[in-house]
Amino acid sequence: MRLWKKTLAVAVLVPILVVSGYVIYLWATYIDEATVTGSAHGFTIGTSKREALDSVRRLGNYPHAVVYVSYGPRAGDHFTVDPASAHVEQLQEHEIWKVLLEGKGKFFNSVRLTFRDGELVEIYRHRQHFELP
């Protein structure tokens, strides 16, 4: 094979392999799962809000984790608390907490905790390394 054909083959194949590898990485690391029985991601179904907040505090792999609560339909109807300094009374009236594992404002790696009658009923884990248009 001539040199220019080899060069052309490499110039075409390398970008295709790089893009394909990146797409496979994004697909392989994507998480979108809900748990309604048992335990997952450091939380246990049936625990109280106080116990769930204690579990957030024990997320050792995520030292920047915060609890995000949206309480209304408008964009400004939310607050974020640091679990280390949070009091369960701040969160007691809210039935859905989103634990942002990478820190404030970083929604692509999170655990949503849904409570009913003061007990944890669903653990929803979401992680993506890309933004959709």
Side-chain angles (χ1 to χ4, degrees), residues 56-68 80-84 98-107 109-110:
V56 174
R57 290 178 179 136
R58 289 191 301 268
L59 292 174
N61 292 341
Y62 300 100
H64 303 293
V66 296
V67 178
Y68 174 88
T80 305
V81 295
D82 178 15
K98 191 171 246 189
V99 181
L100 307 179
L101 298 172
E102 302 296 329
K104 187 175 181 177
K106 300 188 179 180
F107 292 89
N109 192 11
S110 64

Side-chain angles (χ1 to χ4, degrees), residues 3-17:
L3 181 61
W4 70 271
K5 286 184 178 180
K6 289 180 182 177
T7 305
L8 181 61
V10 168
V12 170
L13 288 177
V14 168
I16 290 172
L17 290 174

Side-chain angles (χ1 to χ4, degrees), residues 18-80:
V18 168
V19 169
S20 298
Y22 184 61
V23 169
I24 290 170
Y25 165 76
L26 293 176
W27 174 77
T29 59
Y30 182 79
I31 299 174
D32 189 46
E33 62 188 22
T35 303
V36 294
T37 60
S39 298
H41 313 292
F43 302 96
T44 303
I45 297 297
T47 60
S48 69
K49 291 181 179 181
R50 182 175 306 279
E51 293 167 325
L53 182 58
D54 289 340
S55 294
V56 174
R57 290 178 179 136
R58 289 191 301 268
L59 292 174
N61 292 341
Y62 300 100
H64 303 293
V66 296
V67 178
Y68 174 88
V69 175
S70 178
Y71 55 85
R74 296 179 302 157
D77 293 346
H78 68 273
F79 64 90
T80 305

